[in-house]
Amino acid sequence: MTMTANFVSSQFLTNSMILPITQAQSTLTTAMTEESTGQYADLGLQLGDQSGYELSLKEQVSLIQTLTSGNSLVSTNLATAQNALSAIGASAQTAMSALTVWTPSANSGATLQTTGQSALQALIASTNATSGDEYVFGGINSAVAPVTDYYSTPTSAAKTAVDQAFQTAFGVLPSDLAAASISASAMQSFLAGPFAALFSGAAWTSDWSSASSTNTSAEIAPGQTVASSTNANEPVFQDLAQAYTMLSEFGGSQLSGAAQQAVASAASSLITQGQDSLTNVQAALGATQSAVTDANNSMSSQSTILQKQIDALDNIDPNATAAQINSLTNQIQMAYELTARLQQMNLAQYLPVP
Amino acid sequence: MSLSAAFNIISSSFAANSAQTAVVSNNIANVNTPGYSRQIANLVTNSFGGADVVSVTREANAALADQVSTSTAQAAAQQAIADGLATLAQTVSDSSSASTTSGADQNGASPSAMLTNLQSALTTHETSPSSSSAADAAVTAAQNLASSLNRGSAAVANVREQADQNMASSVATINSLLSQFTAANNAVVTGLQAGTSVASAEDQRDSIVTQLSHEIGVSTVTAGNGSMSIYTDSGVTLFQDTARAVSFTPTPTLVDGQSGSPVTVDGVPITGPNSPMPLQSGALAGYAALRDSLAPQYQAQLDQIAGGLINAFAESDQSTPPTLPPLPGLFTTPGATSLPSTAATTGLGAAIEVNPNADPSQGGDATLLRDGGISNPGNPAYTYNSTGAASYTSRLQQLVGAIGATQSFDPSAGLGSSASLTDYTNASVSWLQAENQQASNASSYQSALATQATSALSNATGVNLDAEMTNMLNLENSYASSAKLLTTVNSMFSALLNAA
């Protein structure tokens, strides 16, 4: 008996097909899973130390999705604020038109009073506009209505303050007959002085506004935070409230025609001033709106690119996998065939039975 | 030469023939016995001119046998590591099908995905700061993150305890194999002294070495008297004339930071950091590597993540000037009264929890997430939103920023000393999957090598049925010839006797 390189043990010959068959079968199972899901069967094993990179790509996509859905809320809030500002602008325009044609000789003071009162009520309603359950002009203090109703019962703090200021300045109330003796110049200096002081600073925040001067901010794109609202402490609200209140309080009073004229002209100059600041506020919010749109657009294209990168890591080549499945199936069939033939290749089969 | 001498030769021919037939039968009977080495009957001409079977030797190949045991040991070590790491990798393998989800939420339960979900929930809460459902969602996301770290730590403890148990059973197997080896080795030595056939005892001895190499990497040396000595692959004697005692004390519960006991041979540790000659291969080495270095390193990373989270969400004294120390905020550990340092995070991964003060299900208040004061709701110094404004977002912005901000980590966990929480958590996943991939590849490679070496050994020393059949035909022919010869000599005797 010789041992040469050609020597093959029968055990090896019998078993030689088992390992290739089991290997091919397990590869086939994996390939079929991959073909049906389109992804590698075991991503962690496939990616190894690239797993963290893949996760960070997915995190970015996830962050973009979160920000985009948050942005739709920001956009809704901004649109609500813009609508309210437009309404404020429209009522300011109406009041302005009424004032332009008003003269003390042709019209009564009651016209002034009606104009002022309806404009002030509209202003208060618009300033207390809500989006969801948030007051859009509340600043960060969005859970509380920014301005209180001036005409409420019991008498609002704002009205009490106005009455007190008038009483302090002239010793009478506007409804008192004695008020008729107040001169136009005295009225002018009252309006510019003690009365104007009620609509700014601490008096405004204590009597009129509950809003916070800090605007809400929102992250609209990764690392990009913008002020996402304006608040009722802006000059536009103070100027308009001041103009409407003087019309409402002093228009229908016992004031002389000259004093009423002084009230009307002070009011119209305040409304003009208010309209200017209104435009500024609208422009600022408009800029934020377009920043949100831009952010959404750029995040959308960014998301597409990121998703492509993720797919490149996760996804198999379906054509290659289909070809692999085909060749594995062939290999297994071939191995079965060979196993059967090897069983026949045995000297005992060919020896004559003695 | 006399006729009676011819008779003697014929009778020795029959004896030799039956001895050879016995060897061929033995070979054929063992054609499918793994590790069987084919036997060869050695013939010598005897003093009458006939043939005697003087010995039966076995076809052996020490070099190939060594290769089989080396590659078996390597494959077993890598397989043990790969199995353990695959268990750990399950706790982070949530990447599959995640990209097909429509929402922002990541699938699965890895700390990495849970951190992303928390970041998303906080960002959403930042957009709707007054929404209590957004606050609750953020607290739930935080709880998921904490329990994902708890689960990861439990998996590490589980893998280490399993490895410890496997080491115990491996050591029991080694001791049992060594005592079987003692018997087989004695049979070889005494058989050689007595001059009897030792082939099957040698087969048994080789088969024990192969089984042993599955548990522990070994090398063998055969002495002049036929006695075989076994050493570990690091050079520690396992068997020399007598078996050495391999001992191990199992540790049923292995908590974070606790090390298991080493395996010792004659009191010398062969695993663990204090071993002068640490074991290189075999399942035992794989289990030890898993229990003593790989799993603890992953645990250290989880602990670092937990410590980083507690620090990132810590609350500081908001009074001017601040006088009180920062305290754990949203994330804390039971009974914690201060922030953990990066060097002392052991056990945090298993213990981290969402502060009950912020958890509505435990009577806490989720809006504290927006307002601050989770650490101590009774102390206004830690409240950030002092006016109670409903749309206060500064604190939430800080928290989202803290997740992405660079902070310091203990470099001994193997992932560098400075990274953002997000990057660190991802790096930990990368580390684990890379180790998993490497062990899995090494395991397949070493298994293939072991299979090849086994095939080569089988081809070198195994039985070929056709060759044995051919031998059998030869023996049949020689038997027939001897019988013919016997008849002829017999008739010659008869003729001689009749003539007389």
Side-chain angles (χ1 to χ4, degrees), chain B residues 287-352:
Chain B
Y287 297 137
L290 204 55
R291 188 196 67 172
D292 297 338
S293 69
L294 288 168
Q297 188 173 355
Y298 183 58
Q299 180 63 62
Q301 294 171 4
L302 290 179
D303 290 343
Q304 285 291 310
I305 294 170
L309 268 176
I310 295 175
N311 279 305
F313 283 79
E315 292 179 335
S316 57
D317 184 0
Q318 293 300 298
S319 353
T320 30
T323 50
L324 300 169
L327 290 179
L330 180 62
F331 289 103
T332 184
T333 51
T337 51
S338 62
L339 294 175
S341 78
T342 50
T345 56
T346 305
L348 289 185
I352 189 169

Side-chain angles (χ1 to χ4, degrees), chain A residues 1-16 19 23 37 39-67 69-74 77 133-135 139-144 212 214-220 225-226 307 310-311 314-315 345-349 351-352 354, chain B residues 27 31-36 38-40 59 61 92-106 110 112-113 115-117 119-121 123-124 126-131 385 387-393 397 400 422-423 425-427 429-431 433-434 436-437 440 448 451 455-456 458-471 473 476:
Chain A
M1 190 174 326
T2 52
M3 201 217 74
T4 69
N6 289 329
F7 190 88
V8 170
S9 82
S10 294
Q11 195 193 5
F12 172 71
L13 207 58
T14 320
N15 294 338
S16 59
L19 193 65
Q23 274 175 352
T37 61
Q39 291 192 328
Y40 289 107
D42 190 338
L43 267 183
L45 210 52
Q46 175 68 31
L47 295 176
D49 63 358
Q50 277 201 302
S51 303
Y53 171 62
E54 193 240 23
L55 280 173
S56 82
L57 291 176
K58 283 183 177 159
E59 276 163 16
Q60 292 176 51
V61 170
S62 158
L63 181 61
I64 285 176
Q65 282 169 339
T66 308
L67 288 173
S69 67
N71 280 353
S72 70
L73 190 61
V74 172
N77 289 350
D133 51 1
E134 299 197 358
Y135 291 95
I140 60 169
N141 196 15
S142 62
V144 182
S212 165
T214 311
N215 285 326
T216 59
S217 59
E219 194 176 356
I220 58 169
T225 304
V226 296
Q307 194 58 54
I310 294 171
D311 289 348
D314 288 3
N315 291 359
M345 233 166 70
N346 179 352
L347 198 52
Q349 303 264 353
L351 291 178
Chain B
N27 283 343
V31 66
N32 285 322
T33 308
Y36 176 81
R38 72 175 174 276
Q39 298 178 358
I40 301 157
E59 191 70 61
N61 189 323
V92 298
S93 65
D94 40 26
S95 12
S96 64
S97 84
S99 63
T100 57
T101 52
S102 51
D105 276 10
Q106 300 273 310
S110 76
S112 199
L115 183 62
T116 308
N117 286 353
Q119 200 175 3
S120 289
T123 310
T124 305
E126 199 187 316
T127 318
S128 316
S130 61
S131 158
N385 183 14
T387 62
S391 288
Y392 179 81
T393 51
Q397 275 171 11
V400 173
T422 317
D423 289 347
T425 314
N426 288 343
V429 173
S430 281
W431 179 87
Q433 295 289 24
N436 182 23
Q437 190 186 39
S440 170
T451 311
S455 302
S458 169
N459 279 341
T461 66
V463 179
N464 183 306
L465 214 48
D466 291 347
E468 299 300 328
M469 290 295 284
T470 314
N471 283 347
L473 290 179
E476 266 180 47

Side-chain angles (χ1 to χ4, degrees), chain A residues 68-117:
Chain A
T68 309
S69 67
N71 280 353
S72 70
L73 190 61
V74 172
S75 297
T76 312
N77 289 350
L78 286 170
T80 309
Q82 286 286 31
N83 285 342
L85 288 174
S86 303
I88 290 170
S91 78
Q93 192 54 50
T94 312
M96 197 63 191
S97 312
L99 284 179
T100 319
V101 298
W102 185 87
T103 55
S105 49
N107 307 81
S108 72
T111 322
L112 284 186
Q113 197 209 351
T114 321
T115 306
Q117 184 166 350

Side-chain angles (χ1 to χ4, degrees), chain B residues 12-283:
Chain B
S12 80
S13 158
F14 278 128
N17 200 300
S18 55
Q20 282 179 288
T21 311
V23 167
V24 168
S25 309
N26 208 7
N27 283 343
I28 292 177
N30 284 299
V31 66
N32 285 322
T33 308
Y36 176 81
S37 297
R38 72 175 174 276
Q39 298 178 358
I40 301 157
N42 297 310
L43 290 175
V44 171
T45 313
N46 64 14
S47 47
F48 320 112
D52 275 353
V53 171
V54 286
S55 64
V56 176
T57 55
R58 56 198 279 278
E59 191 70 61
N61 189 323
L64 283 175
D66 271 358
Q67 211 176 322
V68 168
S69 74
T70 307
S71 53
T72 304
Q74 293 282 4
Q78 295 298 339
Q79 185 63 46
I81 292 175
D83 286 351
L85 288 176
T87 310
L88 289 182
Q90 272 170 16
T91 63
V92 298
S93 65
D94 40 26
S95 12
S96 64
S97 84
S99 63
T100 57
T101 52
S102 51
D105 276 10
Q106 300 273 310
N107 273 348
S110 76
S112 199
M114 294 300 105
L115 183 62
T116 308
N117 286 353
L118 175 61
Q119 200 175 3
S120 289
L122 286 173
T123 310
T124 305
H125 188 19
E126 199 187 316
T127 318
S128 316
S130 61
S131 158
S132 66
S133 62
D136 289 350
V139 169
T140 307
Q143 278 166 337
N144 290 340
L145 174 55
S147 52
S148 140
L149 288 170
N150 300 156
R151 265 199 311 276
S153 306
V156 170
N158 194 13
V159 162
R160 293 186 69 210
E161 284 158 16
Q162 188 64 51
D164 197 77
Q165 276 177 31
N166 288 339
M167 285 169 81
S169 53
S170 178
V171 165
T173 310
I174 291 168
N175 281 325
S176 142
L177 286 172
L178 283 177
S179 75
Q180 290 173 37
F181 186 85
T182 311
N185 191 57
N186 285 344
V188 172
V189 174
T190 52
L192 283 176
Q193 280 165 356
T196 55
S197 168
V198 295
S200 64
E202 283 180 323
D203 270 356
Q204 205 190 340
R205 213 169 57 168
D206 283 358
S207 142
I208 292 171
V209 169
T210 309
Q211 289 176 56
L212 204 54
S213 67
H214 192 270
E215 305 296 334
I216 182 169
V218 290
S219 61
T220 57
V221 172
T222 310
N225 67 350
S227 176
M228 191 185 262
S229 301
I230 307 179
Y231 306 95
T232 68
D233 55 9
S234 55
V236 178
T237 310
L238 279 177
F239 182 93
Q240 195 170 33
D241 301 326
T242 55
R244 303 294 195 260
V246 182
S247 19
F248 176 67
T249 316
T251 317
T253 313
L254 282 166
V255 297
D256 190 3
Q258 185 185 353
S259 43
S261 58
V263 175
T264 58
V265 177
D266 270 349
V268 179
I270 56 166
T271 67
N274 299 323
S275 169
M277 293 190 252
L279 198 60
Q280 306 295 319
S281 60

Side-chain angles (χ1 to χ4, degrees), chain A:
Chain A
M1 190 174 326
T2 52
M3 201 217 74
T4 69
N6 289 329
F7 190 88
V8 170
S9 82
S10 294
Q11 195 193 5
F12 172 71
L13 207 58
T14 320
N15 294 338
S16 59
M17 280 299 131
I18 295 178
L19 193 65
I21 290 176
T22 49
Q23 274 175 352
Q25 280 173 340
S26 106
T27 317
L28 184 63
T29 322
T30 313
M32 276 164 40
T33 315
E34 291 179 347
E35 183 74 7
S36 64
T37 61
Q39 291 192 328
Y40 289 107
D42 190 338
L43 267 183
L45 210 52
Q46 175 68 31
L47 295 176
D49 63 358
Q50 277 201 302
S51 303
Y53 171 62
E54 193 240 23
L55 280 173
S56 82
L57 291 176
K58 283 183 177 159
E59 276 163 16
Q60 292 176 51
V61 170
S62 158
L63 181 61
I64 285 176
Q65 282 169 339
T66 308
L67 288 173
T68 309
S69 67
N71 280 353
S72 70
L73 190 61
V74 172
S75 297
T76 312
N77 289 350
L78 286 170
T80 309
Q82 286 286 31
N83 285 342
L85 288 174
S86 303
I88 290 170
S91 78
Q93 192 54 50
T94 312
M96 197 63 191
S97 312
L99 284 179
T100 319
V101 298
W102 185 87
T103 55
S105 49
N107 307 81
S108 72
T111 322
L112 284 186
Q113 197 209 351
T114 321
T115 306
Q117 184 166 350
S118 65
L120 186 55
Q121 279 166 340
L123 176 68
I124 291 170
S126 295
T127 310
N128 287 343
T130 55
S131 171
D133 51 1
E134 299 197 358
Y135 291 95
V136 292
F137 295 116
I140 60 169
N141 196 15
S142 62
V144 182
V147 288
T148 42
D149 183 7
Y150 183 78
Y151 300 103
S152 68
T153 326
T155 318
S156 65
K159 175 149 175 61
T160 313
V162 169
D163 287 348
Q164 269 177 3
F166 195 87
Q167 184 103 37
T168 311
F170 303 112
V172 291
L173 282 176
S175 51
D176 203 312
L177 284 174
S181 62
I182 298 170
S183 71
S185 63
M187 194 65 202
Q188 268 170 356
S189 50
F190 167 69
L191 290 178
F195 184 75
L198 298 177
F199 295 89
S200 61
W204 173 262
T205 47
S206 70
D207 294 343
W208 283 89
S209 163
S210 310
S212 165
S213 298
T214 311
N215 285 326
T216 59
S217 59
E219 194 176 356
I220 58 169
Q224 187 188 356
T225 304
V226 296
S228 58
S229 72
T230 186
N231 63 74
N233 298 337
E234 289 287 327
V236 51
F237 297 99
Q238 298 176 340
D239 291 346
L240 292 177
Q242 190 182 350
Y244 300 155
T245 308
M246 65 175 70
L247 291 173
S248 161
E249 286 295 328
F250 312 131
S253 65
Q254 299 298 325
L255 292 180
S256 65
Q260 281 186 343
Q261 180 65 64
V263 169
S265 56
S268 80
S269 82
L270 276 171
I271 291 174
T272 313
Q273 197 179 319
Q275 282 174 322
D276 288 349
S277 5
L278 180 67
T279 316
N280 290 342
V281 170
Q282 282 175 320
L285 288 189
T288 309
Q289 281 178 309
S290 71
V292 171
T293 313
D294 290 350
N296 281 345
N297 289 341
S298 88
M299 286 194 296
S300 158
S301 49
Q302 212 180 332
S303 175
T304 313
I305 294 167
L306 287 169
Q307 194 58 54
K308 273 187 190 153
Q309 286 177 290
I310 294 171
D311 289 348
L313 287 173
D314 288 3
N315 291 359
I316 48 133
D317 177 354
N319 298 323
T321 311
Q324 192 192 8
I325 289 176
N326 213 1
S327 77
L328 281 169
T329 317
N330 285 341
Q331 187 192 346
I332 292 172
Q333 279 169 350
M334 195 76 85
Y336 288 155
E337 181 78 10
L338 267 175
T339 309
R341 298 232 172 146
L342 283 174
Q343 288 298 320
Q344 297 301 315
M345 233 166 70
N346 179 352
L347 198 52
Q349 303 264 353
Y350 301 94
L351 291 178
V353 180

